[in-house]
Structures are given as C-alpha cells and as structure tokens.
C-alpha cells in the first residue's frame, strides 16, 4: 500500500466517523425541534424524567437571559430545525469527499460553519446557552481534520 492509498484510507475513516456524528446530530437536533415545537409545559407530568430534563434546560436558558415564552420556544425549535437541515447539507459534502470530489470539502465547510454560527445569529452571545461551545468545537475540529485531507481530493476532470 503506497502513501497515497494510505492517506486516502484516512479520508475514508474520517468520512465514516463524520457519518456517525451526523446521525447523532440529526437525531439530537430533530428531537429538540419536535420537543420545543409542540411543547405544552402544562401537560407535562411533574414527576417525569422528561419534565425534569426540559425544565432544567429551560432554566439554563432563562438564566442565560433567553426569553422562554411560547413564542421564543418556537424560535428555539426553528433553530434546531435549521440545524437539522444544515446537518443533511454538510453530510452531502462528506459523501462527495468520500468519492474524492474537491467540491465536497467546500460544501462541507460552508454548512459546518453555518451550523456553528446559527445559534449566534438567533440569540447573539447567548447562543452558547442553547448550543454549548463544547458541541460546536467538535464541528470545528472535524473541519480542521478534513482540511488536512484536502490534498487527497480531486478536482473535477474537464
């Protein structure tokens, strides 16, 4: 196995790990969207685990200065819907990189950056309360890892 094949193997492994991460992110973001788009706090059973999890999250947001009225909870739900869509679009970039297409990196980078900045667009500096920095750091680390593999991608043949 020559060096080119070995480095392409690294790109494939990175694409596979990204796929797993995107499955997790899409499930997480979709669940948050579904939870907060149809949330009726009065209908939750107070002793349930879901009530406590949702209530704790709302308290964290309230402490960070985010309005947690019904209107703003729908805005939070919209943020998670947008992030789910950005997940799918960034995954398209990963799929293209798996087939060594250089355009895949551009697509991936654009939508990963949009994914990271979307909470700040919606909530300003309080965006970190809704989407913690440690979660966003993972996206930026993967972007840097794919950047190191950019040399293994091929430009489209004319």
């Amino acid at each position: 196995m020559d060096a080119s094949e070995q480095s392409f193997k690294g790109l494939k492994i990175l694409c596979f790990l990204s796929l797993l991460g995107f499955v997790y992110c899409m499930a997480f973001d979709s669940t948050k969207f579904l939870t907060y788009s149809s949330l009726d706090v009065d209908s939750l059973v107070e002793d349930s685990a879901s009530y406590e999890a949702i209530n704790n999250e709302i308290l964290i947001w309230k402490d960070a200065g985010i309005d947690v009225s019904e209107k703003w909870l729908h805005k939070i739900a919209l943020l998670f819907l947008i992030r789910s869509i950005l997940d799918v679009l960034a995954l398209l970039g990963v799929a293209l990189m798996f087939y060594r297409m250089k355009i895949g990196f551009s697509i991936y980078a654009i939508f990963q950056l949009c994914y990271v900045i979307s909470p700040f667009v919606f909530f300003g500096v309080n965006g970190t309360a809704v989407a913690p920095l440690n979660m966003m750091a993972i996206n930026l680390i993967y972007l840097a890892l794919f950047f190191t593999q950019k040399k293994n991608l091929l430009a489209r043949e004319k």
Side-chain angles (χ1 to χ4, degrees):
M1 184 182 286
D2 68 352
S4 172
E5 287 177 24
Q6 209 164 15
S7 60
F8 181 57
K9 185 178 178 182
L11 177 65
K12 280 184 171 180
I13 291 169
L14 194 54
C15 288
F16 177 72
L17 292 173
S18 270
L19 174 68
L20 293 177
F22 279 117
V23 168
Y24 171 77
C25 285
M26 283 186 274
F28 178 82
D29 292 334
S30 298
T31 302
K32 293 281 189 181
F33 165 70
L34 293 172
T35 300
Y36 292 105
S37 65
S38 61
L39 181 66
D40 182 13
V41 180
D42 298 330
S43 69
L44 292 173
V45 178
E46 287 194 33
D47 291 337
S48 68
S50 60
Y51 172 81
E52 290 202 22
I54 291 169
N55 195 40
N56 288 341
E57 196 164 48
I58 289 173
L59 287 174
I60 289 169
W61 296 340
K62 190 183 264 187
D63 290 344
I66 295 174
D67 184 3
V68 290
S69 65
E70 187 175 337
K71 175 186 173 188
W72 279 87
L73 286 177
H74 285 291
K75 189 173 182 177
I76 290 170
L78 178 63
L79 169 67
F80 285 110
L81 174 64
I82 290 170
R83 286 171 63 101
S84 293
I85 293 167
L86 292 171
D87 282 332
V88 172
L89 295 170
L91 188 55
L92 169 66
V94 171
L96 293 173
M97 284 190 286
F98 182 81
Y99 292 107
R100 299 182 78 173
M101 298 174 78
K102 193 169 257 185
I103 188 77
F105 177 77
S106 299
I107 292 170
Y108 177 79
I110 289 167
F111 291 111
Q112 278 290 72
L113 290 174
C114 288
Y115 187 86
V116 169
I117 65 168
S118 61
F120 299 107
V121 170
F122 273 70
F123 302 105
V125 293
N126 293 335
T128 57
V130 178
L133 283 175
N134 59 351
M135 295 292 286
M136 288 186 260
I138 294 169
N139 300 90
L140 297 175
I141 290 168
Y142 265 90
L143 184 59
L145 289 171
F146 273 114
F147 187 76
T148 65
Q149 295 296 313
K150 194 174 176 187
K151 65 185 176 292
N152 296 315
L153 302 173
L154 307 172
R156 196 174 103 192
E157 298 285 326
K158 291 185 181 180

